[in-house]
Amino acid sequence: MGAGIKVEKLNAYFGNTQALHGIDLEVSANHATAIIGPSGCGKSTFIRCINRMHETNPIARAEGKVMIGNTDIYGNGTTPVEVRRRIGMVFQKANPFPTMTIYDNVASGLKLNGFSDHKQMDEVWRRR
């Protein structure tokens, strides 16, 4: 995945309710961009679509095109895990995996990226 984000005609739904309507946006590489607006206007839904988190809700779906560099993040062969490795999200509140221990929550990113050295994971966990 290269740099820069281009969003074309992005629509997002929760069941039959449309939350985003035809969003078009280009974000230049290596720039900070703020998404601002009143509560309930779709900011978080939009960002969740860019991170492929929107689809984790079983009644949610997104339509349109989101390009990260030359990669269509909703295209065939692009997995959510691949996208999330490059597009992070910081939540307002801590959002751990509820069925996992604190240790497993901290170590999950390392495991996802191929780390299997338990001594190294223990060191990272202690630094948390």
Side-chain angles (χ1 to χ4, degrees), residues 1 4-11 20 23 25 46-52 62-75 78 83 87:
M1 277 187 205
I5 300 171
K6 184 173 185 179
V7 178
E8 297 176 348
K9 297 178 179 52
L10 180 65
N11 297 299
L20 299 179
I23 303 295
L25 176 72
F46 175 70
I47 293 169
R48 288 173 59 88
C49 288
I50 292 174
N51 185 260
R52 301 249 342 233
E63 299 170 348
K65 189 177 226 177
V66 178
M67 301 292 292
I68 308 294
N70 294 323
T71 302
D72 180 352
I73 69 166
Y74 286 103
T78 305
V83 173
I87 305 293

Side-chain angles (χ1 to χ4, degrees), residues 103 106-107 110 115 117-128:
Y103 179 93
V106 172
L110 295 171
F115 285 85
D117 182 337
H118 291 284
K119 184 177 178 184
Q120 186 179 18
M121 282 190 261
D122 288 347
E123 290 172 15
V124 170
W125 184 79
R126 284 188 188 90
R127 288 192 314 236
R128 74 186 185 327

Side-chain angles (χ1 to χ4, degrees), residues 7-121:
V7 178
E8 297 176 348
K9 297 178 179 52
L10 180 65
N11 297 299
Y13 302 85
F14 291 97
N16 292 326
T17 303
Q18 189 169 1
L20 299 179
H21 300 264
I23 303 295
D24 292 317
L25 176 72
E26 285 192 53
V27 178
S28 298
N30 304 315
H31 286 81
T33 301
I35 308 294
I36 61 173
S39 179
C41 73
K43 300 177 302 286
S44 294
T45 299
F46 175 70
I47 293 169
R48 288 173 59 88
C49 288
I50 292 174
N51 185 260
R52 301 249 342 233
M53 293 285 293
H54 183 65
E55 65 201 72
T56 62
N57 183 324
I59 65 164
R61 73 182 194 286
E63 299 170 348
K65 189 177 226 177
V66 178
M67 301 292 292
I68 308 294
N70 294 323
T71 302
D72 180 352
I73 69 166
Y74 286 103
N76 291 336
T78 305
T79 67
V81 170
E82 180 183 353
V83 173
R84 292 180 199 136
R85 281 187 175 139
R86 291 170 174 83
I87 305 293
M89 263 184 92
V90 177
F91 297 93
Q92 285 182 317
K93 297 178 185 175
N95 197 14
F97 296 107
T99 60
M100 294 167 57
T101 66
I102 293 170
Y103 179 93
D104 288 335
N105 268 277
V106 172
S108 64
L110 295 171
K111 291 177 183 178
L112 182 65
N113 285 290
F115 285 85
S116 59
D117 182 337
H118 291 284
K119 184 177 178 184
Q120 186 179 18
M121 282 190 261

